[in-house]
Amino acid sequence: DIVMTQSPDSLAVSLGERATINCKSSQSVLHNSNNKNRLAWYQQKPGQPPKLLIYWASTRESGVPDRFSGSGSGTDFSLTISSLQAEDVAVYYCHHYYSTPYTFGQGTKLEIK
Amino acid sequence: EVQLVESGGGLVQPGGSLRLSCAASGFTFSNYWLHWVRRVPGKGLVWVSHINSDGRITNYADSVRGRFTISRDNAKNTLYLQMNSLRAEDTAVYYCARSDDGLDSWGQGTLVTVSP
């Protein structure tokens, strides 16, 4: 099984500042068929289902603000929020869909400093 | 608008069974792979199972293989999860989700509590 490890487990950032969450997979999730990384990022707020933010490691889902961006390839990935807004307080998860089981990272709790 | 609505959760004793349903609308159900994902209280997300568009391909997490069965009825636009031999560690909110380059639509979830 591919193990997804996020860092840090929690993060406090001031409003308007940059927040970066890292995700490392235990093996590459770069798919040979299309040379794309099968890696997604989700945001989950209390009492709500997860929301897809980023897929193929760097493609922003429709309707997601452009302050959210994803980067990385192979085994190392990052989610960056360029200017933190109050509504971005949530838990963020990385997730691979390279091969079953499609595992998630343990989550990173993002708060306002 | 894409909608996924789970039902069937509840309180069940260890060793018992439940069947979850996920009713879909707003998209061509038979075109999509579908998943079950659970969130354990106070912990993170865990992928449980998925099924391909015509129901012929299924996969499971090791923790549920042999106890849970995923299925779908494309005529009824409904996804199912039959859960047998339930354990305390199966207690979670269960979400159904549609996949299309990531899990792009999710239901609100249904709570399953396994307790004596």
Side-chain angles (χ1 to χ4, degrees):
Chain A
D1 297 2
I2 298 175
V3 177
M4 309 298 289
T5 304
Q6 292 180 225
S7 61
D9 289 335
S10 63
L11 181 63
V13 174
S14 301
L15 289 172
E17 296 300 305
R18 177 184 299 262
T20 299
I21 298 169
N22 301 301
C23 176
K24 188 174 184 67
S25 57
S26 60
Q27 66 187 71
S28 175
V29 297
L30 179 63
H31 209 268
N32 292 335
S33 65
N34 59 4
N35 204 38
K36 292 184 177 182
N37 292 279
R38 295 200 162 199
L39 187 286
W41 288 95
Y42 301 86
Q43 174 194 66
Q44 187 170 30
K45 298 180 180 180
Q48 296 185 18
K51 174 186 175 183
L52 177 65
L53 298 175
I54 303 286
Y55 58 95
W56 296 126
S58 60
T59 302
R60 198 178 304 114
E61 173 74 339
S62 176
V64 173
D66 60 7
R67 64 179 180 273
F68 291 90
S69 63
S71 62
S73 184
T75 62
D76 293 280
F77 303 91
S78 295
L79 173 71
T80 299
I81 307 171
S82 60
S83 177
L84 189 71
Q85 305 299 304
E87 61 265 31
D88 300 334
V89 169
V91 179
Y92 292 83
Y93 297 92
C94 62
H95 170 229
H96 84 84
Y97 45 103
Y98 181 84
S99 62
T100 55
Y102 296 156
T103 48
F104 290 84
Q106 79 275 19
T108 295
K109 186 175 183 179
L110 178 59
E111 299 173 314
I112 305 295
K113 185 187 289 183
Chain B
E1 178 193 5
V2 173
Q3 280 203 316
L4 297 167
V5 180
E6 302 93 338
S7 61
L11 175 63
V12 61
Q13 293 188 338
S17 298
L18 277 178
R19 187 172 87 152
L20 306 184
S21 299
C22 172
S25 60
F27 64 101
T28 305
F29 184 79
S30 58
N31 286 353
Y32 290 86
W33 288 59
L34 298 166
H35 303 247
W36 289 100
V37 175
R38 66 188 182 187
R39 181 173 182 182
V40 176
K43 296 191 177 180
L45 299 173
V46 177
W47 179 84
V48 173
S49 180
H50 75 180
I51 188 167
N52 78 323
S53 55
D54 66 10
R56 296 185 187 185
I57 299 172
T58 59
N59 281 291
Y60 300 90
D62 288 346
S63 57
V64 307
R65 185 176 292 111
R67 300 187 299 122
F68 290 12
T69 302
I70 191 171
S71 62
R72 64 191 295 162
D73 186 335
N74 285 348
K76 295 183 177 180
N77 289 354
T78 303
L79 173 71
Y80 302 101
L81 186 67
Q82 177 67 44
M83 305 187 296
N84 298 330
S85 303
L86 282 161
R87 307 167 179 167
E89 55 264 35
D90 296 318
T91 294
V93 175
Y94 285 74
Y95 299 99
C96 62
R98 183 184 84 166
S99 63
D100 184 19
D101 297 334
L103 302 180
D104 68 341
S105 295
W106 297 65
Q108 288 296 315
T110 187
L111 176 62
V112 172
T113 303
V114 184
S115 179

